[in-house]
């Protein structure tokens, strides 16, 4: 089952070569993996969750809510949900009640257009908007434990809900920007998201198994990070790996990319907190 | 010497590469870790037999940070015949010690699972100490790859 | 994850003589003492170094834990229950701090 694609190239110059030489020729689209058929015009024939690209032991970690280390962050988020905060001295529960009801779909529909802000916002930003405007509390820093916990907790309430985001109307330019970013080559390695995740999902890049790069499981517990991390953190990592200067977490670019990615994964169920490599 | 001309550098680099290809440890890899010593400490120098103990681990680790490991030792776990403890060692980590499980007859079965860190491809060894003073062991090779892209 | 949070999954009911499975998890970075900071100094080791489970005060299972155990240590083991009572689970951290939780079981 674990086919290690050996690409014998002379010397240490692998990384210096262009994208084509490094990745296996042709796209072995791993048709045997479970996925959902896509609407006409979608760039992928099948959308497949990152879950399907991991080994059974990793899948087992995600399947067991007890063993899933990401659930530790969900637990913390649950506590924060009930904790009064800010000058308004209100908890999330005071307005939103039982998260299992009020948030049971929300996590599947972000990023969303925010009329007041005049831009698209993602879940982390919406949480912080609630904090500053309604709780009159300080915004949580990106990738801080409270923000990771709350985002994981909220999105976890939508677990199982198919991802569906608005891409028309005011979201049209955001979608187009995200799509442009996805296909634009970056960095010293001159690679775009598409080179790995569209052209080569199911193949290995050296020994790493490439997924479709879907976002339905974020915030995700990555074995590499040994903690839960946000989608924008992952974007930054990918950009650094192609030796590009990453955009900032929470930037318009990353929110646009996040929207485009949500559309690329249309119909995949939210899996937060997913466990990945 | 302060400087090395290109010819000397290339020869040295090639030499080091040749050693690596030949399978001989280069200076960077260092000496063997303390697996043998820890096993000897655990068994008091006795040589464990094998059989009756199983290690469950993936053949290839998804990520060396978190590798599931399960160990199981055949035993009635009765008051006069039970597994006292099981030590887990990793012969390629900076330090070989991983965990020692201590059982009592109240545990019912001599089985435990956890998740461990593996620095690289290596053998994971489990040695069980029985209440009658005997020892048994098993080991398994787990492959750990350095990912191609941030893995 | 400022304070380590323990989680335990143990059955609340069992039959006499039944061997039950107990799963435990505690949030902890398990700083191995192998990593270096930006200045090249070793980040000091700080791990959960021990775990113990008792039933009605009697030892069931315990472990000595070293840095090679992954972050957010997961430990699964078993207990043969003969009488009702209370499990107590204790984790010990480098430096001596302990974290504990309990779980009741009815055995019939």
């Amino acid at each position: 089952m674990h086919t290690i694609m050996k690409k014998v190239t002379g010397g240490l110059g692998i990384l210096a070569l262009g994208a084509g030489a490094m990745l296996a020729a042709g796209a072995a689209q791993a048709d045997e993996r479970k996925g959902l058929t896509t609407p006409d015009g979608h760039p992928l024939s099948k959308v497949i969750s990152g879950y399907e690209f991991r080994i059974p032991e990793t899948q087992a970690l995600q399947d067991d809510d007890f063993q899933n280390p990401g659930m530790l962050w969900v637990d913390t988020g649950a506590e924060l949900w009930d904790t009064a905060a800010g000058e308004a001295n209100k908890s999330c529960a005071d307005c939103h009640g039982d998260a299992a009801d009020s948030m049971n779909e929300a996590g599947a529909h972000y990023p969303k257009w925010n009329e007041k802000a005049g831009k698209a916002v993602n879940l982390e930003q919406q949480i912080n908007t609630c904090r500053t405007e309604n709780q009159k509390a300080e915004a949580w820093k990106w990738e801080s434990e409270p923000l990771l916990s709350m985002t994981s907790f909220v999105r976890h309430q939508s677990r199982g809900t198919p991802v569906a985001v608005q891409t028309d109307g005011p979201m049209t330019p955001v979608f187009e920007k995200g799509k442009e970013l996805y296909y634009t080559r970056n960095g010293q390695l001159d690679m775009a998201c598409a080179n790995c995740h569209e052209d080569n999902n199911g193949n290995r890049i050296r020994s790493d198994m490439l997924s479709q790069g879907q976002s339905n499981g974020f915030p995700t517990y990555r074995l590499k990070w040994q903690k839960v991390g946000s989608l924008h953190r992952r974007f930054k990592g990918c950009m650094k790996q192609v030796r590009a200067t990453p955009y900032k977490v929470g930037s318009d670019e990353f929110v646009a990319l996040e929207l485009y990615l949500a559309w690329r994964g249309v119909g995949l169920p939210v899996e937060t907190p997913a466990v990945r490599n | 010497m302060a400087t090395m001309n290109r010819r000397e550098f290339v020869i040295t680099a090639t030499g080091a590469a040749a050693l690596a290809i030949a399978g001989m440890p280069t200076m960077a890899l260092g000496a063997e870790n303390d697996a043998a010593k820890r096993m000897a400490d655990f068994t008091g120098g006795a040589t464990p037999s094998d059989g009756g103990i199983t290690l469950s681990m993936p053949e290839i680790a998804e990520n060396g940070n978190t590798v599931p490991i399960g160990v199981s030792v055949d035993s009635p776990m009765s008051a006069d015949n039970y597994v006292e403890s099981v030590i887990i060692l990793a012969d390629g980590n900076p330090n070989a010690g991983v965990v020692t499980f201590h059982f009592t007859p109240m545990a019912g079965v001599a089985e435990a699972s956890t998740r461990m860190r593996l620095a690289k491809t290596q053998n994971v060894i489990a040695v069980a100490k029985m209440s009658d003073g005997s020892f048994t062991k098993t080991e398994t090779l787990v492959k750990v790859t350095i990912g191609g892209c941030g893995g | 994850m400022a304070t380590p949070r323990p989680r335990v999954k143990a059955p609340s009911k069992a039959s006499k003589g039944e061997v039950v499975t107990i799963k435990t998890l505690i949030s902890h970075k398990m700083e191995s003492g192998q990593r270096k900071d930006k200045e090249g100094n070793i980040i000091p080791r700080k791990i959960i170094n021990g775990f113990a489970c008792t039933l009605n005060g009697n030892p069931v299972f315990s472990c000595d834990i070293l840095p090679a155990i992954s972050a957010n240590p997961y430990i699964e083991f078993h207990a043969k229950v003969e009488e009702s009572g209370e499990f107590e689970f204790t984790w010990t951290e480098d430096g001596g701090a302990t974290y504990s939780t309990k779980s009741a079981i009815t055995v019939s």
Side-chain angles (χ1 to χ4, degrees):
Chain A
M1 178 167 77
H2 298 282
T3 50
I4 311 247
M5 324 257 320
K6 283 190 181 163
K7 190 108 178 94
V8 179
T9 54
L12 303 165
I14 293 175
L15 287 180
L17 298 174
M22 178 158 46
L23 303 170
Q29 288 291 347
D31 288 318
E32 71 275 6
R33 288 196 173 86
K34 276 176 27 198
L36 304 168
T37 41
T38 46
D40 284 338
H42 195 280
L44 301 165
S45 55
K46 202 159 65 155
V47 290
I48 305 171
S49 169
Y51 175 89
E52 301 294 337
F53 291 91
R54 311 275 48 105
I55 64 175
E57 287 82 357
T58 307
Q59 294 176 335
L61 282 186
Q62 180 176 321
D63 290 339
D64 181 345
D65 268 0
F66 184 84
Q67 282 207 49
N68 181 340
M71 290 299 288
L72 291 167
W73 277 260
V74 171
D75 282 353
T76 303
E79 277 183 15
L80 288 169
W81 181 267
D82 289 329
T83 306
E87 283 172 23
N89 202 38
K90 279 189 188 172
S91 70
C92 314
D94 285 336
C95 290
H96 294 289
D98 182 2
D101 290 328
S102 57
M103 298 290 127
N104 85 322
E105 269 208 30
H109 304 308
Y110 276 84
K112 261 190 197 180
W113 183 255
N114 184 306
E115 196 57 58
K116 193 168 168 194
K119 62 197 297 205
V121 304
N122 78 349
L123 191 51
E124 282 92 339
Q125 290 166 331
Q126 181 56 53
I127 289 167
N128 269 335
T129 300
C130 268
R131 268 187 72 80
T132 51
E133 293 187 8
N134 301 328
Q135 289 176 309
K136 310 275 188 247
E138 270 183 37
W140 283 321
K141 280 183 77 162
W142 204 284
E143 225 64 36
S144 64
E145 290 303 313
L147 186 55
L148 284 172
S149 302
M150 181 57 74
T151 312
S152 303
F153 172 72
V154 170
R155 202 162 193 227
H156 175 69
Q157 306 310 313
S158 304
R159 188 167 62 171
T161 306
V163 168
V165 287
Q166 181 194 5
T167 55
D168 60 7
M171 291 299 249
T172 308
V174 184
F175 177 82
E176 292 301 328
K177 177 74 183 168
K179 180 171 167 184
E180 183 196 327
L181 288 166
Y182 193 84
Y183 287 100
T184 302
R185 287 176 181 268
N186 267 304
Q188 288 181 320
L189 297 190
D190 199 39
M191 293 174 70
C193 315
N195 296 136
C196 284
H197 295 295
E198 183 167 305
D199 303 336
N200 283 289
N201 64 78
N203 290 338
R204 287 179 188 274
I205 183 165
R206 288 164 102 195
S207 55
D208 231 9
M209 168 56 70
L210 287 169
S211 70
Q212 287 187 346
Q214 300 290 1
S215 59
N216 58 315
F218 277 85
T220 284
Y221 187 90
R222 284 196 78 210
L223 300 180
K224 177 188 177 178
W225 295 333
Q226 296 189 92
K227 62 181 298 202
V228 158
S230 70
L231 181 60
H232 292 200
R233 175 181 179 179
R234 189 67 190 96
F235 286 162
K236 276 179 67 176
C238 276
M239 290 189 76
K240 285 193 217 166
Q241 279 145 27
V242 300
R243 313 289 190 269
T245 306
Y247 298 109
K248 291 199 180 338
V249 293
S251 61
D252 291 345
E253 289 88 352
F254 277 170
V255 175
L257 185 58
E258 182 174 346
L259 175 72
Y260 180 67
L261 228 58
W263 174 81
R264 280 183 78 88
V266 64
L268 286 175
V270 172
E271 289 179 25
T272 309
V275 179
R276 303 283 187 257
N277 61 326
Chain B
M1 62 193 147
T3 56
M4 204 187 277
N5 68 32
R6 274 176 37 153
R7 170 181 285 193
E8 287 166 50
F9 175 75
V10 168
I11 289 168
T12 314
T14 315
L19 277 181
I21 290 164
M24 308 229 340
T26 59
M27 272 196 308
L29 290 178
E32 268 179 36
N33 76 358
D34 55 342
K37 179 179 182 304
R38 283 185 186 255
M39 176 150 35
D41 285 347
F42 184 70
T43 67
T47 309
S49 56
D50 32 40
I53 177 171
T54 330
L55 257 181
S56 308
M57 297 193 74
E59 202 185 304
I60 306 178
E62 180 104 74
N63 186 297
N65 272 337
T66 309
V67 189
I69 170 174
V71 68
S72 173
V73 188
D74 297 336
S75 166
M77 296 303 278
S78 63
D80 50 11
N81 186 1
Y82 64 100
V83 177
E84 274 188 21
S85 46
V86 176
I87 190 171
I88 307 291
L89 300 168
D91 72 1
N93 272 353
N95 299 300
V98 181
V99 64
T100 306
F101 297 120
H102 300 288
F103 298 94
T104 68
M106 274 182 77
V109 294
E111 276 178 31
S113 306
T114 184
R115 306 196 279 243
M116 64 174 287
R117 293 166 164 157
L118 286 169
K120 57 181 182 157
T121 297
Q122 60 189 289
N123 296 301
V124 178
I125 306 150
V127 187
K129 176 179 181 181
M130 319 299 274
S131 55
D132 65 4
S134 66
F135 296 90
T136 185
K137 85 165 173 44
T138 187
E139 65 180 60
T140 188
L141 178 69
V142 182
K143 293 179 196 158
V144 178
T145 54
I146 306 295
C149 203
Chain C
M1 303 292 117
T3 313
R5 316 167 52 98
R7 291 178 116 208
V8 171
K9 189 167 175 184
S12 49
K13 292 203 278 276
S15 330
K16 187 165 154 62
E18 191 183 334
V19 176
V20 300
T21 302
I22 298 175
K23 302 184 180 188
T24 70
L25 188 63
I26 186 165
S27 61
H28 200 283
K29 235 173 136 185
M30 297 293 281
E31 189 62 67
S32 64
Q34 296 285 332
R35 296 196 314 150
K36 291 187 180 158
D37 63 20
K38 289 198 175 95
E39 282 87 47
N41 306 311
I42 290 274
I43 303 171
R45 164 184 149 160
K46 185 139 186 165
I47 65 164
I48 295 288
N49 62 41
F51 168 79
C53 167
T54 59
L55 177 57
N56 295 332
N58 301 310
V60 175
F61 170 84
S62 64
C63 22
D64 308 322
I65 299 171
L66 291 170
I69 292 296
S70 303
N72 306 310
Y74 172 76
I75 302 166
E76 181 183 320
F77 58 98
H78 305 268
K80 185 171 184 180
V81 291
E82 301 284 1
E83 54 181 11
S84 300
E86 191 178 66
F87 286 108
E88 182 160 10
F89 310 93
T90 308
W91 289 259
T92 310
E93 190 181 32
D94 284 345
T98 59
Y99 309 95
S100 255
T101 187
K102 296 181 177 159
S103 171
I105 186 163
T106 307
V107 176
S108 48

